[in-house]
Amino acid sequence: MPGKRRRPTTEPKRTKKARGKTNEKKTNLLRLYIKVSIAQRAEQDSQEILNEGFQQLFNGQEPIESMLFRKDSFKKVWDSVNNDISDILLDMNHTAVESICQFVDKSHDVEESMVALPFHEIPTGLVFAGINTPDHDTQFAHIASKLKEETTTDNNRKQKNFVCLLQSKDCANIKNMLRTMIERFLANTPNALTTDLENDTTMANNEESEEDEEDDDDMIRSTERAATSYRLGGVAAKPSKCLPYDMKLLEGWYKHHQQRYANRPNLVIILQDFESFEPAILQDFFTICSEYRSRLPIICIMGIATSTEILHQSLNKSTIGLLRIEKFKLEQSGVWFNRVIEKIFLDSTSTLKFGPRPYKFLLDHFYLYDFSMTKVTASIKYALMHHFYGNPLSIFLPLLQMDEFDMTATLQQWMRSELINEHHITHIRMLGSFKNYIESLVETDSKKALRLLEDDDYLITEVIPSLLCDIKMYQKQFKMGFNLLVLLQAQFPSFSSLHKSKLMLLLEVLESKDGLGENIDMVRKLVSFVRKIDTEHVGRLLKEIRQLLQIYDDVNNSFLDQLSIWDKRYEQLMEADEAYNARMNKKAKKLEGMVLENEGSRHTETAKKVQNESLEHLKRKGTEASKIAMDIAEWCDKTLGHLLRSFTTLPLFELVYYTNIKLHEKSFASQPRASVQTALTQPQHYLNCPCCSIEKSDQIIASEHDTCILYKLYLECGRLINLYDWFVAFGCMIEREKRPKNKSLEENEVQARFIRSVAELQFLGFIKPTQRKTDHVIRLTWSNI
């Protein structure tokens, strides 16, 4: 019959039963292979897998309890960080997700208020989720889970939405798309029907079906078989003739389940990566959904990474006319990144902090490469893994969640249970920050320095808790100083050179080795501008500084005492006679113009000395407002220099701050060309072949790969190479191969291997095409070959 594809008569027809037997044999062989592999695995490897890769450090002399504690600590710290990252993402998009939920819930109300149309529009929400599509998985998964949440009406009846999340990889054609959609809708109520349909679909996707009619018959039979085990109210369902991609199957399922809810549940279809779908498939899909819109409340949510133009490029006008579109926008990943950095590296005092180089690496890869939230999360997790997997002193990081008394009690217990041994103590004394701490104590308290080097119990149970508490206090002070720096920057919005984002400010502070103060140009300019503020600005600045200090009143109460003195002086100034104030302000402006002019451009010692004398003169002869401004500027200079000092000045900062960048660069900034060059010059490290072992990278042996031989010959030449000489040299090398006596090397074989190796070098980018030629010496190009 025309229009049908027949199976070739020479090929035996494979029935479904035969295919099942073949798959069963493959499964049994796979199970046997796994059993043999597990039996042959060494006990040490099993132990490493059991502990999730954690191993005993100090060449195996680390206590097993210490290793297990590192493992548990890593899990707890990462879970805490991961929860913070997820909560920030959910909170950031809370408003947009709520708007999408309201759009889904009110689609019926909008539909009833509109004039009846000759066609059925599909309520469609366009969600602009940002340009980084790998991050859309988490965002749309949250939207789907939010739409699935059950709500209870006033009549105590449940109400919910049935949600189906589709990706382009699951929708190769319209049949697969409809079948996947129906399966995922039916998965909202798990039963035997959906399970059997999924198993049949998996088998159908893994096999190559050559006859559509026969596959459809198999699907009908599987649906009938599954229907016998599907029960409706205790009664077995009748066998169905519907195919798994037939919308009537979805319609029947929906009519049965909608009776349990107060309102008609919506069928929400989420197309996560709209740009990746085939336009023809989408057009057919929307047309089919529009036909069933009167019987099924279908609502579509489409994720878009670019703009609405892609909608007009993918769909024709008639298909767009079937959609009633409303736009939504999720927050960009940059907002999420700012909040994550502030939460983890500023607010938190119980997790791992990044040093300047890892932090700069994190910023560069986010802003200069892909704006990927997934990469940032992976980078933070990799730093935690490197710290806990490879650093035996990482057991001290969880102690930051305790106060000093609990720290002391915990460390005493560790010493009694020998969770800490002499290797831990030796490792602590070898830290660079601890050595600097001992050297600083030699001149002031030599007895304490000697005791720290000799008395283990004193070091662990008395000194380390105090030093860890100092690190916690430093982190609180650092956050206060950083917010003070941001506050001063906001006082002068008209000066664009002083405005930097919080992320760049944090990077600049971390990179300063000796603290801030006059070492940072921006801080010097801010302090200079504070000296020049007027009377009204002084009052506003004092109010904002008070609000900031009240948040951190536990850091240092002397700050609030100093602020109270300035407030009293400012109140007395405002109560003075207005004529007197005007006369003094006029005099002060003239004096300030003489004293503070071009202050930022003076760098020599003589200029600094003159400037200091001028400032002292201004403090004596200036008005009360200028004196208060001078005092505030001087206080800001000293306070910032103290609060924002470098973390490298703290003893044992290595326990809390992560400064290693080499592994991050290898893992997240790979250099494939360097790896390829290493593989071509030293193939024994990649092929694991004992016969290719060489002592020097430029040594050539006949047993190496042809491309390696050709590349090493290529390195012996300059920019120009004689093609024939290169070919002859290659032939001479491969003639040294060990061959059977009856088999000799043919010229055609040498030429074929030569051309293939040259093509591989060109593909790897070591040979680039060019048109330049000479008589016999040419630049190597593929066209020449």
Side-chain angles (χ1 to χ4, degrees):
M1 182 179 293
K4 292 186 177 180
R5 292 179 293 176
R6 296 294 183 183
R7 191 184 299 271
T9 56
T10 57
E11 181 181 354
K13 183 177 180 179
R14 292 183 62 198
T15 62
K16 191 172 183 180
K17 186 175 182 181
R19 291 197 301 265
K21 290 183 177 179
T22 304
N23 292 333
E24 186 177 357
K25 290 180 180 179
K26 292 181 179 178
T27 304
N28 292 335
L29 290 174
L30 180 61
R31 289 176 180 173
L32 180 61
Y33 173 76
I34 293 175
K35 289 181 179 179
V36 173
S37 300
I38 294 176
Q40 292 178 350
R41 185 178 298 151
E43 183 179 356
Q44 183 179 358
D45 297 337
S46 301
Q47 188 70 17
E48 292 177 0
I49 295 175
L50 181 64
N51 294 320
E52 298 179 2
F54 278 86
Q55 302 178 20
Q56 292 177 265
L57 303 178
F58 301 129
N59 294 326
Q61 298 182 9
E62 181 189 19
I64 186 68
E65 295 81 5
S66 179
M67 181 198 70
L68 295 177
F69 185 78
R70 284 192 293 114
K71 172 188 170 184
D72 296 338
S73 300
F74 165 72
K75 187 177 183 303
K76 292 178 181 178
V77 173
W78 168 241
D79 288 343
S80 176
V81 172
N82 193 31
N83 290 336
D84 291 338
I85 292 174
S86 301
D87 292 342
I88 290 172
L89 181 61
L90 300 183
D91 182 65
M92 181 180 68
N93 293 320
H94 177 74
T95 305
V97 173
E98 290 295 331
S99 301
I100 294 173
C101 294
Q102 292 177 6
F103 164 75
V104 172
D105 295 337
K106 294 181 179 180
S107 60
H108 294 299
D109 301 335
V110 176
E111 209 169 62
E112 294 174 356
S113 62
M114 294 178 62
V115 179
L117 299 174
F119 56 90
H120 305 288
E121 286 185 335
I122 304 173
T124 305
L126 298 184
V127 181
F128 296 89
I131 60 175
N132 195 275
T133 53
D135 294 334
H136 295 179
D137 293 341
T138 306
Q139 295 172 330
F140 282 96
H142 172 59
I143 293 174
S145 63
K146 192 70 176 178
L147 292 172
K148 287 181 181 179
E149 291 180 357
E150 286 190 356
T151 57
T152 305
T153 61
D154 298 335
N155 299 328
N156 293 327
R157 299 189 67 181
K158 295 181 179 180
Q159 180 180 356
K160 67 175 294 185
N161 300 306
F162 297 120
V163 182
C164 166
L165 182 62
L166 296 178
Q167 297 181 2
S168 58
K169 62 182 181 181
D170 302 323
C171 306
N173 50 57
I174 187 62
K175 285 186 178 181
N176 286 343
M177 188 172 186
L178 292 174
R179 181 169 53 201
T180 305
M181 180 192 70
I182 293 172
E183 288 173 358
R184 293 183 180 176
F185 272 129
L186 268 60
N188 288 274
T189 53
N191 49 60
L193 176 63
T194 56
T195 305
D196 287 350
L197 284 177
E198 289 175 359
N199 293 337
D200 294 332
T201 304
T202 305
M203 183 179 296
N205 291 335
N206 294 334
E207 297 175 359
E208 294 183 0
S209 54
E210 300 180 1
E211 189 171 353
D212 291 344
E213 185 178 358
E214 185 181 65
D215 288 347
D216 292 346
D217 293 340
D218 291 343
M219 291 180 185
I220 292 175
R221 285 193 293 271
S222 65
T223 308
E224 291 177 351
R225 185 182 69 253
T228 59
S229 58
Y230 182 71
R231 308 183 68 84
L232 302 176
V235 182
K238 295 181 180 180
S240 174
K241 295 293 183 180
C242 293
L243 292 166
Y245 50 80
D246 195 337
M247 291 289 287
K248 292 182 180 179
L249 186 65
L250 180 63
E251 183 181 358
W253 170 83
Y254 179 78
K255 286 181 179 179
H256 169 68
H257 287 284
Q258 71 168 347
Q259 302 172 4
R260 297 185 299 165
Y261 301 96
N263 298 325
R264 297 178 65 196
N266 296 308
L267 297 176
V268 183
I269 304 170
I270 301 179
L271 306 180
Q272 179 175 313
D273 46 347
F274 176 79
E275 287 92 343
S276 301
F277 282 86
E278 289 292 336
I281 298 175
L282 288 175
Q283 292 173 11
D284 295 340
F285 177 75
F286 287 130
T287 303
I288 294 172
C289 291
S290 177
E291 292 294 330
Y292 281 86
R293 184 71 177 88
S294 59
R295 289 164 282 175
L296 297 174
I298 297 175
I299 299 173
C300 187
I301 304 294
M302 297 190 298
I304 295 181
T306 53
S307 65
T308 54
E309 294 181 1
I310 192 65
L311 187 68
H312 297 276
Q313 295 174 5
S314 302
L315 305 177
N316 52 33
K317 292 184 179 180
S318 60
T319 305
I320 294 177
L322 300 176
L323 308 177
R324 188 172 75 245
I325 298 175
E326 188 169 338
K327 299 178 182 178
F328 304 94
K329 185 177 181 181
L330 301 179
E331 289 288 350
Q332 298 298 315
S333 57
V335 179
W336 171 88
F337 186 65
N338 289 336
R339 295 180 61 178
V340 165
I341 294 299
E342 188 172 355
K343 175 68 176 178
I344 296 178
F345 297 133
L346 285 177
D347 296 342
S348 177
T349 58
S350 60
T351 187
L352 194 67
K353 306 289 184 180
F354 274 20
R357 293 187 63 191
Y359 178 73
K360 187 176 185 301
F361 180 86
L362 201 65
L363 258 62
D364 291 345
H365 270 255
F366 181 80
Y367 284 112
L368 302 180
Y369 284 84
D370 49 12
F371 292 91
S372 174
M373 295 185 289
T374 307
K375 292 286 184 64
V376 173
T377 306
S379 183
I380 295 174
K381 184 177 182 180
Y382 188 81
L384 287 172
M385 292 178 65
H386 183 216
H387 184 70
F388 281 97
Y389 274 76
N391 186 0
L393 300 183
S394 58
I395 58 176
F396 292 95
L397 182 62
L399 296 177
L400 293 177
Q401 301 176 5
M402 310 175 186
D403 56 15
E404 187 171 359
F405 179 79
D406 292 337
M407 286 183 192
T408 303
T410 303
L411 289 172
Q412 289 175 353
Q413 182 183 358
W414 286 0
M415 291 292 290
R416 289 193 300 268
S417 62
E418 296 184 354
L419 188 139
I420 298 178
N421 58 15
E422 65 276 6
H423 298 285
H424 289 93
I425 300 172
T426 303
H427 208 66
I428 290 174
R429 288 174 176 148
M430 292 176 62
L431 294 176
S433 61
F434 186 80
K435 293 179 181 179
N436 297 334
Y437 179 61
I438 294 296
E439 291 176 0
S440 64
L441 289 176
V442 170
E443 299 178 357
T444 58
D445 193 352
S446 58
K447 292 183 179 180
K448 182 179 180 180
L450 182 62
R451 189 178 180 186
L452 286 174
L453 296 175
E454 295 180 349
D455 193 342
D456 296 342
D457 291 335
Y458 175 72
L459 170 64
I460 297 298
T461 60
E462 296 186 29
V463 176
I464 287 184
S466 176
L467 296 179
L468 291 179
C469 288
D470 291 343
I471 293 177
K472 290 177 63 177
M473 180 57 66
Y474 163 78
Q475 292 178 354
K476 294 180 181 179
Q477 293 177 348
F478 184 88
K479 181 182 177 182
M480 174 186 168
F482 183 80
N483 289 332
L484 177 61
L485 185 63
V486 174
L487 186 150
L488 293 178
Q489 181 185 244
Q491 301 300 316
F492 310 101
S494 57
F495 294 91
S496 58
S497 61
L498 297 179
H499 280 266
K500 294 182 179 180
S501 65
K502 285 187 176 182
L503 301 184
M504 297 308 299
L505 276 178
L506 181 58
L507 176 61
E508 190 169 355
V509 172
L510 288 176
E511 289 181 338
S512 63
K513 296 182 179 180
D514 301 325
L516 286 181
E518 296 184 356
N519 296 322
I520 301 297
D521 183 65
M522 187 191 67
V523 176
R524 186 171 62 249
K525 290 182 179 179
L526 284 174
V527 172
S528 173
F529 285 135
V530 170
R531 294 191 182 106
K532 302 177 184 179
I533 58 178
D534 53 13
T535 305
E536 182 181 357
H537 201 165
V538 167
R540 187 167 66 251
L541 179 59
L542 286 175
K543 181 179 179 181
E544 293 181 2
I545 292 178
R546 173 172 289 278
Q547 293 175 354
L548 175 64
L549 294 182
Q550 286 176 348
I551 303 175
Y552 307 98
D553 56 352
D554 60 332
V555 175
N556 195 338
N557 293 328
S558 62
F559 293 159
L560 291 176
D561 297 337
Q562 180 65 41
L563 190 63
S564 300
I565 297 175
W566 292 335
D567 286 337
K568 292 179 181 179
R569 292 172 58 186
Y570 183 73
E571 290 176 0
Q572 295 174 359
L573 174 65
M574 298 306 294
E575 293 174 357
D577 182 61
E578 295 182 359
Y580 172 77
N581 288 336
R583 186 170 64 256
M584 294 302 295
N585 287 336
K586 184 177 180 180
K587 177 181 177 183
K589 288 181 179 180
K590 185 182 297 184
L591 186 61
E592 288 175 5
M594 296 169 55
V595 174
L596 299 176
E597 185 179 5
N598 297 328
E599 180 186 354
S601 61
R602 303 180 179 182
H603 300 290
T604 62
E605 293 296 331
T606 304
K608 289 181 180 179
K609 184 177 179 180
V610 173
Q611 181 65 27
N612 293 333
E613 292 178 355
S614 301
L615 293 177
E616 293 295 331
H617 178 70
L618 183 60
K619 290 180 182 180
R620 294 192 304 269
K621 301 296 183 180
T623 62
E624 184 65 19
S626 62
K627 291 179 181 179
I628 295 175
M630 294 288 291
D631 291 341
I632 294 175
E634 184 178 354
W635 175 83
C636 290
D637 193 6
K638 293 180 180 179
T639 303
L640 290 176
H642 172 68
L643 299 181
L644 297 180
R645 64 190 184 277
S646 176
F647 66 89
T648 56
T649 60
L650 301 173
L652 304 183
F653 74 89
E654 294 91 346
L655 305 181
V656 181
Y657 287 87
Y658 181 77
T659 57
N660 196 316
I661 190 58
K662 293 183 179 180
L663 288 178
H664 263 70
E665 291 176 346
K666 290 181 180 179
S667 303
F668 296 94
S670 58
Q671 299 178 354
R673 186 176 180 85
S675 300
V676 171
Q677 287 178 329
T678 305
L680 291 173
T681 55
Q682 302 177 19
Q684 70 275 10
H685 299 304
Y686 292 82
L687 300 178
N688 196 19
C689 179
C691 64
C692 296
S693 179
I694 56 177
E695 297 180 357
K696 299 180 180 180
S697 59
D698 57 348
Q699 183 181 355
I700 305 177
I701 58 178
S703 60
E704 291 180 339
H705 194 273
D706 292 347
T707 309
C708 299
I709 296 174
L710 202 65
Y711 179 71
K712 291 181 179 180
L713 293 173
Y714 169 73
L715 294 178
E716 295 178 358
C717 305
R719 298 183 63 185
L720 300 178
I721 186 172
N722 188 295
L723 186 61
Y724 182 74
D725 291 344
W726 197 22
F727 171 72
V728 171
F730 176 76
C732 293
M733 288 302 305
I734 64 176
E735 283 180 355
R736 302 175 185 176
E737 293 180 351
K738 294 182 180 180
R739 291 174 171 270
K741 296 181 179 180
N742 299 332
K743 188 175 181 181
S744 59
L745 189 64
E746 299 181 359
E747 185 176 357
N748 292 338
E749 181 183 354
V750 178
Q751 185 176 0
R753 291 170 61 176
F754 179 75
I755 294 176
R756 183 174 63 250
S757 299
V758 171
E760 291 177 358
L761 289 178
Q762 186 201 17
F763 175 77
L764 294 173
F766 293 103
I767 302 173
K768 296 182 180 180
T770 182
Q771 300 295 329
R772 179 179 174 180
K773 298 181 181 180
T774 58
D775 295 337
H776 298 287
V777 180
I778 60 173
R779 286 181 181 271
L780 183 64
T781 64
W782 174 243
S783 58
N784 297 130
I785 300 300

